[in-house]
Amino acid sequence: MLGTITASRLNVRSQPDQHSNKLGEIVKGTVVNILAQKNGWYEILYNKLPGFLFGQYVDLRDDSITQAGIITARLLNIRERPDTSSPILGTLGKGSKIDVISSNQNWVEFSFKESSAYLARDYVELHLQESLSFGKVTVQLLNVRQSPSLSAPVIGQVKLDDKLEIISSVGEWLEIRFNKINGFAAAQYINTNTDEEIPPTIPIGPNQIEEEPERPAVSRESVNDGFEPTKLISEVGGPEERKVAATWNRYGALLEDLSQDKQIDVACTVAVLCVESSGRGFSSANNDRMIIRFENHKFWKYWGKQDPEKFRRHFRYNSGKAWTGHQWRADSQAEWQSFHGRQNAEWEVLDFARSIDNDAALLSISMGAPQIMGFHYQAIGYQSVQEMFDDFNAGIKAHIEGLFNFMSPAMIQHLQRLKFESFAGLYNGSGQKKKYGRWIKNHYDAFKRRQ
């Protein structure tokens, strides 16, 4: 487990007791690896010795998050101790990734040959990394690189809809398993919010394809302007930091006003928007159409039960976990296709379903930035699901206001108390509350770090 020091300077003690010997001190913002908790104290390794920190001044992070480092020097000496006069154990080249044990202003301790060693802090770029399990590629071709840098050698490629085994998230990159070795791919082109836990795809060989796909220059996000906050946040850092910053920069003024009205920390609403739709209501990669998600099991409820034979010819899902295993086919003789994670495919399914039953299809999709299901149209003040669909299609303001109108008193209370898993249980459903609760918390923390 990781913890971040919140005091300006925090003493490291030899025992979990404020009267024990002082081994040193750690400055505010330092991330430490916590080995154990004892009576309000956290045990760490400090210069390879057990040390203890008073827990009141340590902010714990999620168990799934660890710290990684990327070497920025051409060659960096590995030291036995945090001292420039200590023996050199070897070197690491630029772009190398390390698993960080602890760090301070001068040195980074990292895992090295079943023990630990030290690197000069000035030449190590630190990132939080999260275990993510699986992801899906969202661009036609994506380079896999030897290290997390655009200048690193390309070792191969993955293609659109390939399923990837993700080792960790490192800044703007995802570390993936690739041809029995680890490689790195740009995080922004991999969808990690997938419910499909299926084996990864075998990747293709290397080629010279750029990571950045072509995208339209103008988006309907700008149809309703005037939502920008007076203070913008720099869109740098890891995927979560960039996402919350971009969401704040687009809608901050409106989000702040509506959050104050509900007495919710605006960081909560930024986090919810980021998790539900990456903070966007329209997809520039899909002709600026509204972001949707078609739910097969809901279409079964609103139409399929009336004609189960026809439904089963075109749609299927996992009956044990109804939100997973969604596939479809327009031709009942064709192969089944997955479609979640690709907006053009989501719309293709929706258009097909609307040709069968328009209202049932619209009731079965989640819409826009807050990803509110169509069947909730009355709860957010619409007379029909068609009216909601048309209003959400018109511009982003309806999405933001819809989010706040949709929140029940219980949801608001959970956000006020920062109980993200409880909120997700009501907003996303009990079957996905742990996953979505964790994602919301991670984005909430990312926004707090940037404020």
Side-chain angles (χ1 to χ4, degrees):
M1 179 182 296
L2 293 181
T4 303
I5 306 304
T6 59
S8 56
R9 290 183 178 274
L10 183 59
N11 291 331
V12 183
R13 300 283 182 181
S14 61
Q15 298 294 329
D17 183 336
Q18 62 180 341
H19 301 297
S20 64
N21 293 335
K22 178 180 172 180
L23 302 179
E25 56 185 28
I26 301 177
V27 298
K28 184 176 182 178
T30 300
V31 178
V32 295
N33 186 37
I34 295 170
L35 304 178
Q37 302 182 39
K38 296 182 179 180
N39 301 322
W41 292 75
Y42 296 134
E43 183 179 359
I44 65 169
L45 275 180
Y46 185 77
N47 291 340
K48 297 191 177 182
L49 295 173
F52 295 87
L53 304 172
F54 189 44
Q56 181 178 338
Y57 303 108
V58 181
D59 181 20
L60 296 184
R61 296 188 178 276
D62 191 284
D63 283 339
S64 65
I65 300 175
T66 56
Q67 194 173 35
I70 306 298
I71 308 305
T72 60
R74 188 176 65 85
L75 281 176
L76 184 59
N77 289 332
I78 302 170
R79 299 279 182 179
E80 183 179 335
R81 297 185 304 277
D83 185 335
T84 54
S85 62
S86 71
I88 296 174
L89 305 179
T91 59
L92 288 173
K94 185 175 182 178
S96 298
K97 174 179 173 279
I98 59 170
D99 292 321
V100 175
I101 296 174
S102 65
S103 64
N104 58 33
Q105 289 177 306
N106 300 313
W107 295 93
V108 174
E109 183 181 7
F110 73 106
S111 299
F112 181 72
K113 294 183 178 179
E114 300 182 356
S115 183
S116 66
Y118 295 85
L119 299 167
R121 172 68 181 84
D122 288 343
Y123 306 104
V124 182
E125 185 179 272
L126 297 180
H127 298 278
L128 295 179
Q129 62 178 3
E130 179 182 4
S131 299
L132 295 172
S133 183
F134 290 99
K136 185 184 289 186
V137 179
T138 61
V139 291
Q140 291 297 325
L141 286 173
L142 180 62
N143 285 337
V144 180
R145 296 186 180 271
Q146 192 174 73
S147 60
S149 169
L150 285 174
S151 61
V154 175
I155 60 175
Q157 290 179 322
V158 287
K159 59 185 185 298
L160 182 67
D161 287 338
D162 278 357
K163 287 80 179 179
L164 307 177
E165 181 183 355
I166 297 174
I167 308 301
S168 64
S169 167
V170 184
E172 299 179 3
W173 298 84
L174 292 180
E175 184 180 9
I176 65 173
R177 193 68 177 165
F178 181 83
N179 282 344
K180 299 183 179 180
I181 62 173
N182 290 1
F184 294 84
Q188 61 183 312
Y189 306 121
I190 300 174
N191 175 22
T192 58
N193 290 4
T194 176
D195 296 320
E196 299 178 62
E197 297 186 0
I198 50 184
T201 307
I202 302 298
I204 60 178
N207 203 343
Q208 296 301 315
I209 301 294
E210 294 302 317
E211 274 82 356
E212 181 67 41
E214 292 185 6
R215 297 186 184 276
V218 180
S219 169
R220 254 194 299 174
E221 300 287 343
S222 60
V223 168
N224 296 291
D225 55 8
F227 302 151
E228 299 87 354
T230 54
K231 181 181 178 181
L232 300 179
I233 298 175
S234 177
E235 297 179 24
V236 297
E240 290 167 354
E241 280 80 5
R242 295 199 315 274
K243 198 185 300 182
V244 296
T247 300
W248 170 257
N249 292 342
R250 283 194 293 269
Y251 320 127
L254 180 61
L255 287 174
E256 194 159 42
D257 286 345
L258 294 172
S259 296
Q260 286 177 355
D261 184 58
K262 299 287 188 181
Q263 297 182 315
I264 300 171
D265 185 341
V266 70
C268 294
T269 50
V270 170
V272 171
L273 282 179
C274 287
V275 168
E276 296 304 325
S277 61
S278 296
R280 289 191 175 275
F282 298 91
S283 172
S284 59
N286 187 38
N287 298 320
D288 215 24
R289 301 178 89 176
M290 179 173 65
I291 293 172
I292 64 167
R293 179 182 168 101
F294 187 89
E295 302 288 0
N296 287 8
H297 60 301
K298 296 300 182 184
F299 196 50
W300 165 260
K301 176 180 179 180
Y302 293 112
W303 169 77
K305 288 182 178 180
Q306 302 170 30
D307 194 343
E309 184 178 343
K310 184 174 182 180
F311 178 90
R312 293 188 180 106
R313 287 201 300 267
H314 300 288
F315 303 92
R316 66 181 184 182
Y317 60 90
N318 184 339
S319 59
K321 291 184 177 180
W323 60 92
T324 67
H326 290 195
Q327 293 183 315
W328 87 295
R329 57 188 180 187
D331 183 345
S332 60
Q333 302 302 313
E335 293 185 4
W336 290 101
Q337 300 178 51
S338 299
F339 56 92
H340 289 323
R342 292 179 293 133
Q343 280 300 300
N344 61 333
E346 296 277 4
W347 273 89
E348 188 177 358
V349 178
L350 173 61
D351 290 341
F352 178 78
R354 291 181 75 184
S355 71
I356 297 173
D357 188 314
N358 179 72
D359 282 0
L362 296 183
L363 291 170
S364 304
I365 61 170
S366 54
M367 304 185 202
Q371 286 293 280
I372 297 173
M373 290 298 303
F375 59 77
H376 287 304
Y377 69 90
Q378 289 180 313
I380 58 175
Y382 292 102
Q383 297 298 311
S384 68
V385 68
Q386 184 68 56
E387 183 185 6
M388 174 185 173
F389 181 73
D390 292 342
D391 202 22
F392 271 49
N393 259 323
I396 196 67
K397 186 178 181 182
H399 302 201
I400 307 297
E401 292 177 340
L403 168 65
F404 286 88
N405 291 335
F406 180 65
M407 288 185 191
S408 66
M411 290 183 196
I412 292 170
Q413 187 177 74
H414 289 322
L415 287 182
Q416 289 170 338
R417 296 177 178 179
L418 306 184
K419 294 186 175 181
F420 300 117
E421 187 175 309
S422 299
F423 170 83
L426 297 176
Y427 196 96
N428 302 103
S430 59
Q432 305 197 74
K433 67 178 184 178
K434 288 186 179 295
K435 178 173 67 174
Y436 276 87
R438 174 167 56 86
W439 287 341
I440 293 170
K441 182 182 185 303
N442 290 346
H443 285 81
Y444 171 87
D445 290 341
F447 186 76
K448 283 297 190 181
R449 292 194 294 271
R450 301 305 308 279
Q451 275 187 311

